[in-house]
């Protein structure tokens, strides 16, 4: 196997070591790698091929373990911009290091920081800073020196199951910290072209071409898609159109990738072959095919720089260049070896490439195509029509790429389009082969004949218009949402692909083809949380928000609030944060949902869950938002309004006693935020000898009403009210509840200073152990009704 696929063992064990290092945070030192390398060198002189293979595998595994160390544990610097992270804004000065990334939700600039200014004091600083610009066009470009005022933030994990590791994602790009400004008006241009480069000139040319496209095509929906296809500028795509492309499963076509580069390279190759074969001498004396392939390589590089030289696109160009070199060397029959060589080269020179989504999808798509298409074409060998065979090959490639990436797409994005094969079949020819090639051909002519730009772009604009209409129709078709794909599923998937590719024994292929999926399904059945006779309460670490999942002894679920963003960010909290966490916890169905009050940090994630998961019943104590009501009515979820004195018995038996609000509170009567908080739904949950009070955002006024009531307040656990605010958890209330444990949901470094020092000190003075999501991440409490235990399995680093 090692002789037929020489890069298989190095690539497999190198990526295994990197994956283990990324997941565990462990990395071995260079001494260990050198020791294993010495063993590998010695094995070269021994007549045992098996020993050499083992030493090769060990060397690349340990190399993989050490390769990510510069990104995961960079050497500390006294000038690092990370040391300036604080709640106070400071003045930052630096040079834009890459082309601004623009999208419908805002823009991003990567800034090489040079100095920070505090009052009258200027300090040297270093490191890459990711600057978010909330809205508006960004007219700055690579090489500009800028100055702005913002708060520096060092991203950290929340400690939430199913959480995307954003801090690691930035670290792999060499980015030390992030900051934000509302618009470009808050950025001061100190000096344009502070650092000159060829890429800056190309960036300005690309911007000029984009402006020309927009002037030539008045319809913004058409011009925005075309500029995204040709130069990677997505800034003006209307949000509804961008969402429609995503829902249809073809949003990948809007981002410059290896697909676009490959189409252009193939077009140039065919064009050169056609041109050279028109003349007798080159057709007879030259290897036209090799020459065409070589000419396509510089064309790919030129398009790469025109579209911004993004790392993902650069990786695609490198991979395609390796394939082109293989074609030139007439080694195209070893397609799997060529793919392994390209992937090994990319990951070896830049280890974080392995964790880049675009690289993963490009690699998997090509892998699936190389496995499936030859088999399908072999089965259709009797078909003689060249056009029909080309159509079969195209459909086979589209189906193979869609199927092989379905599971990874669900694992990463939690949603996949069921109509992706249909839309790819129609949109790829329209935009990929049609609009991209028509627009690419027009670009150089536009620079020579700018007055003819509308005429030159007209064919591409027509194709984009047809595509847009079809995509908007596709929004009515269903999508597949699933939040239960785990890392183990991905392991079995890659194992299955490996066996199908490299095994040659039919019996082994049959056994592995059956055994691997069975093992994956068995693991899901085993890991699914079933009724175990215990009560599970999980306080999810959702930042400066609140959400709790309760699993009753019979296995049914109760979701108390759904977290959310305090302000509109353009993102759906339920989709990005809450639903993935529920999926990881195997809560695919919410039997009962409680909205304690209508504040975005408590109810913002509920609409998405209502629309996309099965919800059995909805409880609230006050009116809820129109968006929640719309989802409940659309899904026909039974609704129940509860008030003080209501006692509800659930399986277990688990008894819920409502302590507040006093009655139905109309939203019109709620004049301010405090009023909403004081009418939060507060309840006491009891199971055997265990009990817990859920205080939502209740403050002193609500506590006084509960103290004046006749219901039992003493509880084992207190969910502290209003994120530990100084206006909640009075000493009198704490004395009556007399908890043995306190739980607080708060975001790390939040600008409100929660939990307050007063509340933390009060709990400490009473000797009450306190768990906080800002320090401990997601908190899990389990009880059998007699004893109880607390764990923090997702504690943030």
């Amino acid at each position: 196997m090692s002789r037929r696929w020489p890069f298989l063992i190095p690539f497999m064990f190198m990526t295994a070591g990197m994956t283990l290092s990324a997941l565990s945070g462990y990395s071995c030192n260079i001494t260990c790698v050198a020791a294993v390398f010495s063993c590998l060198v010695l094995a070269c002189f021994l007549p045992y091929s098996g020993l050499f293979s083992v030493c090769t595998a060990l060397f690349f595994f340990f190399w993989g373990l050490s390769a990510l160390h510069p990104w995961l544990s960079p050497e500390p610097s006294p000038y690092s911009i990370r040391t300036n992270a604080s709640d106070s804004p400071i003045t930052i000065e630096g040079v834009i290091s890459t082309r601004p990334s623009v999208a419908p939700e805002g823009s991003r600039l990567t800034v090489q920081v040079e100095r920070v200014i505090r009052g009258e004091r200027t300090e040297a600083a270093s490191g890459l800073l990711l600057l978010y610009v909330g809205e508006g066009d960004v007219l700055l470009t690579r090489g500009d020196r800028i100055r702005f005022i913002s708060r520096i933030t060092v991203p950290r994990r929340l400690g939430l199951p199913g959480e995307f590791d954003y801090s690691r994602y930035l670290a792999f790009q060499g980015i030390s910290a992030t900051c934000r400004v509302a618009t470009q008006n808050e950025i001061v241009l100190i000096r344009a072209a502070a650092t000159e480069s060829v890429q800056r000139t190309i960036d300005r040319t690309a911007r000029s071409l984009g402006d020309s496209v927009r002037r030539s095509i008045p319809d913004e929906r058409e011009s925005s898609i075309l500029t995204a296809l040709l130069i990677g500028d997505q800034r003006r795509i209307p949000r509804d159109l961008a969402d429609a492309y995503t829902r249809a499963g073809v949003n990948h076509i809007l981002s410059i990738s290896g697909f676009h580069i490959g189409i252009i390279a193939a077009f140039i190759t065919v064009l050169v072959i056609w041109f050279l074969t028109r003349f007798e001498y080159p057709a007879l004396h030259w290897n036209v095919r090799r020459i065409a392939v070589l000419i396509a390589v510089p064309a790919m590089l030129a398009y790469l720089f025109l579209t911004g030289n993004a790392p993902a696109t650069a990786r695609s160009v490198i991979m395609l260049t390796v394939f082109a070199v293989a074609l030139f060397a007439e080694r195209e029959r070893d397609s799997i070896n060529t793919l392994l060589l390209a992937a090994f080269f990319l990951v070896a020179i830049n280890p974080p490439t392995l964790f880049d989504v675009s690289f993963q999808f490009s690699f998997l798509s090509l892998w699936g195509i190389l496995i499936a298409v030859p088999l399908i074409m072999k089965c259709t060998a009797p078909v003689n029509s060249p056009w029909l065979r080309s159509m079969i090959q195209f459909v086979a490639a589209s189906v193979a790429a869609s199927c092989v990436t379905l599971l990874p797409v669900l694992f990463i994005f939690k949603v996949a389009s069921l109509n992706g094969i249909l839309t790819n079949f129609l949109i790829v020819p329209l935009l990929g082969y049609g609009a991209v090639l028509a627009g690419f051909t027009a670009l150089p002519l536009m620079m020579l004949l700018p007055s003819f730009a509308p005429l030159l772009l007209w064919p591409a604009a027509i194709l984009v218009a047809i595509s847009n209409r079809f995509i908007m129709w596709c929004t009515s078709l269903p999508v597949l949402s699933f939040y239960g794909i785990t890392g183990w599923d991905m392991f079995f998937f890659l194992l299955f692909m490996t066996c199908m590719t490299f095994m040659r024994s039919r019996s082994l292929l049959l056994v592995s083809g059956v055994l691997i999926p069975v093992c994956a399904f068995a693991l899901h059945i085993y890991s699914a949380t079933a009724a175990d006779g215990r009560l599970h309460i999980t306080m999810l670490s959702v930042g400066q928000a609140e959400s709790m999942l309760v699993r009753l002894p019979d296995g049914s679920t109760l979701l108390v609030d759904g977290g959310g963003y305090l302000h509109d960010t353009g993102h759906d909290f339920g989709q990005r944060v809450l639903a993935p966490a529920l999926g990881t916890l195997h809560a695919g169905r919410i039997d009962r949902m409680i909205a304690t009050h209508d504040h975005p940090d408590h109810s913002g994630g509920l609409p998405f869950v209502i629309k996309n998961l099965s919800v059995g019943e909805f409880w609230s104590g006050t009116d809820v938002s129109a968006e929640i009501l719309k989802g409940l009515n659309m899904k026909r979820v039974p609704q129940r309004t509860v008030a003080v004195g209501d006692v509800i018995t659930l399986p277990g038996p688990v008894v819920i006693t409502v302590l507040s609000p006093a009655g139905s509170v109309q939203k019109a009567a709620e004049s301010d935020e405090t009023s909403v908080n004081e009418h939060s739904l507060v309840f006491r949950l009891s199971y055997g000898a265990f009990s817990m009070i859920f205080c939502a955002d209740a403050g002193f006024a609500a506590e006084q009403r509960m103290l004046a009531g006749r219901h039992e307040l003493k509880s084992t656990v207190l969910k502290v009210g209003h994120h530990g605010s100084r206006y909640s958890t009075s000493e009198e209330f704490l004395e009556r509840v007399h908890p043995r444990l306190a739980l607080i949901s708060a975001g790390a470094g939040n600008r409100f200073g929660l939990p307050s020092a007063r509340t933390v000190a009060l709990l400490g003075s009473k000797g009450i152990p306190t768990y906080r999501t800002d320090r401990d991440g997601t908190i899990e409490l389990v009880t059998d009704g007699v004893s109880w235990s607390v764990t923090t399995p997702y504690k943030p680093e």
Side-chain angles (χ1 to χ4, degrees):
M1 181 178 289
S2 61
R3 291 183 178 180
R4 182 170 183 178
W5 296 290
F7 288 95
L8 176 60
I9 289 178
F11 181 69
M12 182 183 299
F13 282 88
M14 179 179 66
T15 55
M18 290 179 183
T19 303
L20 178 60
S21 177
L23 294 177
S24 65
Y26 171 78
S27 60
C28 65
N29 55 44
I30 193 64
T31 304
C32 184
V33 178
V36 179
F37 180 72
S38 300
C39 295
L40 176 61
V41 173
L42 291 175
C44 295
F45 300 98
L46 297 177
Y48 305 108
S49 59
L51 180 62
F52 178 78
S53 298
V54 170
C55 290
T56 301
L58 288 175
F59 168 69
F60 282 102
F61 178 75
F62 281 99
W63 180 25
L65 277 178
S66 66
L68 295 174
H69 179 76
W71 289 270
L72 296 177
S73 303
E75 293 296 327
S77 168
Y79 302 108
S80 173
I81 191 64
R82 296 171 64 95
T83 62
N84 292 280
S86 69
D87 294 333
S88 303
I90 61 173
T91 302
I92 306 161
E93 185 175 312
V95 176
I96 300 174
S97 59
T98 60
R99 179 186 294 187
S101 171
V102 289
E105 63 270 14
S107 304
R108 295 185 297 174
L109 307 175
T110 303
V111 180
Q112 180 63 56
V113 179
E114 296 178 334
R115 60 185 61 88
V116 296
I117 304 171
R118 302 174 185 273
E120 300 296 325
R121 190 173 76 251
T122 300
E123 302 173 359
S126 63
L128 286 179
L129 183 68
L130 183 61
L131 171 61
Y132 291 94
V133 183
E135 58 185 26
D137 285 347
V138 176
L139 302 178
L140 302 165
T141 190
R142 189 193 315 252
D144 290 343
R145 178 171 285 111
I146 60 174
R147 181 181 292 179
F148 55 93
I149 300 175
S150 183
R151 294 181 180 87
I152 297 175
T153 303
V154 176
R156 68 188 296 274
R157 296 183 63 187
L158 293 172
L160 185 69
E163 176 184 7
F164 173 66
D165 195 341
Y166 186 60
S167 58
R168 190 184 72 180
Y169 167 77
L170 292 180
F172 283 163
Q173 300 179 61
I175 295 173
S176 303
T178 65
C179 59
R180 180 182 296 273
V181 295
T183 67
Q184 184 184 301
N185 295 332
E186 298 182 19
I187 303 174
V188 177
L189 177 61
I190 301 297
R191 180 185 174 187
T195 58
E196 280 287 1
S197 65
V198 174
Q199 185 61 60
R200 172 185 167 83
T201 303
I202 296 174
D203 288 352
R204 293 174 65 85
T205 302
R207 178 183 292 278
S208 176
L209 287 171
D211 293 338
S212 179
V213 170
R214 284 184 280 269
R215 286 193 302 268
S216 304
I217 304 175
D219 189 328
E220 184 183 38
R221 298 175 77 83
E222 295 173 12
S223 62
S224 60
I225 295 294
L226 195 53
T227 53
L229 291 172
L230 297 180
I231 60 174
D233 182 356
Q234 301 185 33
R235 81 181 89 180
R236 297 179 187 268
I237 301 178
R239 185 174 296 277
D240 68 316
L241 187 58
D243 291 342
Y245 272 88
T246 300
R247 185 177 176 85
V250 290
N251 57 318
H252 61 86
I253 201 79
L254 302 181
S255 301
I256 302 296
S257 65
F259 171 77
H260 302 75
I261 303 290
I263 290 296
I264 290 171
F267 171 71
I268 292 173
T269 301
V270 171
L271 191 63
V272 171
I273 291 174
W274 176 87
F275 178 77
L276 292 179
T277 53
R278 299 305 96 186
F279 302 95
E280 182 179 353
Y281 184 82
L284 294 176
H285 298 88
W286 296 355
N287 190 323
V288 173
R289 186 166 175 256
R290 289 189 175 189
I291 293 173
V293 168
L294 284 182
I295 293 176
V297 171
M300 286 194 295
L301 294 175
Y303 190 60
L304 167 66
F305 287 109
L306 181 66
T307 56
N309 193 19
T313 313
R315 286 190 288 269
S316 299
V317 169
I318 293 173
M319 185 173 288
L320 288 169
T321 301
V322 172
F323 270 90
V325 172
L327 287 170
F328 180 78
E330 298 186 344
R331 294 297 301 271
E332 63 270 25
R333 293 183 180 179
D334 299 324
S335 53
I336 293 295
N337 262 334
T338 305
L339 179 63
L340 285 172
L341 171 61
F344 177 82
F345 178 71
L346 287 170
V347 175
I349 62 174
N350 185 34
T353 295
L354 179 65
F355 304 94
D356 185 87
V357 172
S358 63
F359 167 78
Q360 294 170 358
F361 285 167
S362 297
F363 179 79
L364 289 173
S365 297
L366 285 170
W367 191 1
I369 290 171
L370 292 177
I371 294 175
V373 172
L375 294 175
I376 295 173
M377 297 308 295
K378 185 177 180 180
C379 295
T380 58
V383 178
N384 296 320
S385 171
W387 285 102
L388 185 56
R389 286 190 63 81
S390 297
M391 181 64 69
I392 293 173
Q393 189 173 29
F394 168 71
V395 173
S398 179
V399 171
S402 298
C403 291
V404 82
T405 55
L406 178 63
L407 200 66
V409 165
L410 284 174
F411 176 65
I412 295 172
F413 300 111
K414 316 303 179 187
V415 60
S417 175
L418 292 174
N419 51 9
I421 296 175
L422 170 65
T423 51
N424 273 283
F425 179 72
L426 295 174
I427 297 302
V428 168
L430 279 173
L431 296 186
Y433 302 145
V436 168
L437 292 181
F440 178 76
T441 305
L443 285 181
L445 298 176
M446 285 169 56
M447 291 186 284
L448 298 174
L449 305 167
S451 58
F452 290 92
L455 181 62
L456 294 170
L457 290 171
W458 178 79
I462 292 296
L463 294 173
V464 170
I466 296 172
S467 171
N468 287 349
R469 291 190 180 93
F470 176 72
I471 287 297
M472 294 307 294
W473 173 79
C474 285
T475 56
S476 60
L477 300 177
V479 296
L480 174 64
S481 297
F482 187 66
Y483 296 87
I485 303 298
T486 66
W488 281 109
D489 293 314
M490 293 306 301
F491 169 77
F492 284 120
F493 165 73
L494 292 174
L495 181 62
F496 178 84
M497 290 284 292
T498 302
C499 292
M500 295 299 104
T501 306
F502 300 108
M503 279 188 176
R504 288 294 173 262
S505 169
R506 291 189 175 183
S507 58
L508 289 178
L509 277 173
L510 180 62
V511 171
S512 60
V514 173
L515 187 60
I516 293 174
V518 168
C519 290
F521 281 115
L523 191 63
H524 267 277
I525 295 173
Y526 174 77
S527 61
T529 306
D532 61 358
R534 298 184 299 172
L535 179 70
H536 299 255
I537 300 174
T538 305
M539 174 175 274
L540 300 173
S541 179
V542 289
Q544 188 53 38
E546 186 169 300
S547 181
M548 303 185 72
L549 177 68
V550 180
R551 193 177 296 274
L552 303 181
D554 71 334
S556 60
T557 53
L558 170 69
L559 181 65
V560 183
D561 286 335
Y565 300 114
L566 287 169
H567 306 288
D568 184 19
T569 64
H571 301 295
D572 191 320
F573 185 90
Q575 180 181 22
R576 292 168 66 95
V577 179
L578 182 59
L582 295 176
T584 304
L585 295 173
H586 305 285
R589 170 180 167 81
I590 304 300
D591 296 287
R592 299 165 190 88
M593 177 183 287
I594 296 178
T596 60
H597 62 297
D598 189 23
H599 271 171
D601 60 326
H602 284 251
S603 61
L606 296 181
F608 183 86
V609 174
I610 293 169
K611 294 174 185 176
N612 293 275
L613 273 67
S614 175
V615 178
E617 190 176 4
F618 180 84
W619 302 354
S620 65
T622 63
D623 288 348
V624 295
S625 69
E627 189 177 7
I628 289 179
L629 284 176
K630 180 181 177 181
L632 293 172
N633 294 332
M634 181 179 68
K635 297 293 289 287
R636 298 181 180 180
V637 177
Q639 303 172 44
R640 179 173 183 173
T641 301
V642 296
V644 62
D646 288 349
V647 178
I648 305 167
T649 302
L650 301 176
V654 172
V655 180
I656 290 180
T657 304
V658 180
L659 305 176
S660 182
S664 179
V665 181
Q666 300 301 317
K667 193 173 291 186
E670 298 167 356
S671 58
D672 55 33
E673 182 176 323
T674 302
S675 177
V676 177
N677 289 336
E678 298 300 352
H679 289 95
S680 297
L681 173 56
V682 180
F683 60 92
R684 180 176 183 268
L685 179 150
S686 61
Y687 174 53
F690 173 87
S691 56
M692 177 174 172
I693 285 188
F694 294 72
C695 284
D697 274 359
F700 291 153
E703 291 173 3
Q704 286 301 315
R705 291 198 304 270
M706 288 185 278
L707 288 170
R710 56 184 176 80
H711 299 288
E712 178 65 52
L713 296 181
K714 185 176 181 181
S715 300
T716 312
V717 179
L718 169 67
K719 200 295 295 179
V720 176
H722 202 185
H723 315 283
S725 165
R726 59 178 176 156
Y727 299 110
S728 67
T729 317
S730 65
E731 187 167 2
E732 182 183 4
F733 183 74
L734 194 60
E735 289 286 351
R736 280 281 297 275
V737 175
H738 196 63
R740 296 164 59 188
L741 179 73
L743 304 180
I744 300 176
S745 180
N750 65 84
R751 60 188 178 90
F752 306 103
L754 297 174
S756 70
R758 172 241 164 222
T759 302
V760 173
L762 177 62
L763 293 169
S765 68
K766 303 294 183 182
I768 302 171
T770 303
Y771 284 81
R772 299 162 38 176
T773 56
D774 59 333
R775 295 183 317 191
D776 303 309
T778 294
I779 304 161
E780 293 189 351
L781 189 154
V782 181
T783 177
D784 59 3
V786 180
S787 60
W788 52 273
S789 62
V790 181
T791 57
T792 55
Y794 304 97
K795 195 163 185 172
E797 299 172 359

